[in-house]
């Protein structure tokens, strides 16, 4: 259950994030590959133990203004 500190370029601004969980890191790395993921795809790619855990990790990045929820498309 390790944690890391990372820096991300968010709309041209370098932002530091302390104490990011490994699942939160895996989630943000997904979006380096492509812009949109379904919940099922993201669970499979990150090997999250549940959709609820993945939703919490996604919500962390949405609340930080790094990701936006595209809704169910």
């Amino acid at each position: 259950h390790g944690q890391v500190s990372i820096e991300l370029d968010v709309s041209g601004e370098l932002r530091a994030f302390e104490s990011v969980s490994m699942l939160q890191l895996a989630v943000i790395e997904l979006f380096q590959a492509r812009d949109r993921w379904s919940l099922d795809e993201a669970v499979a790619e990150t090997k999250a133990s549940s959709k609820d855990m993945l939703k919490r990790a996604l919500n962390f990045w949405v609340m930080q203004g790094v990701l936006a929820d595209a809704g169910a498309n």
Side-chain angles (χ1 to χ4, degrees):
H1 298 294
Q3 294 190 330
V4 297
S5 297
I6 62 171
E7 289 185 344
L8 297 174
D9 182 338
V10 182
S11 301
E13 176 187 344
L14 193 61
R15 293 183 49 197
F17 297 91
E18 305 293 327
S19 302
V20 174
S21 74
M22 298 311 288
L23 182 55
Q24 289 166 338
L25 178 63
V27 163
I28 205 62
E29 286 177 341
L30 281 182
F31 289 91
Q32 291 180 350
R34 70 180 207 232
D35 292 340
R36 288 180 178 232
W37 293 85
S38 73
L39 193 56
D40 288 335
E41 288 173 326
V43 167
E45 287 292 321
T46 61
K47 298 177 177 55
S49 58
S50 72
K51 284 185 182 181
D52 284 340
M53 283 189 68
L54 183 73
K55 285 179 185 178
R56 283 195 293 274
L58 284 164
N59 191 52
F60 170 80
W61 294 115
V62 170
M63 296 301 292
Q64 297 297 322
V66 175
L67 298 178
D69 185 348
N73 292 338

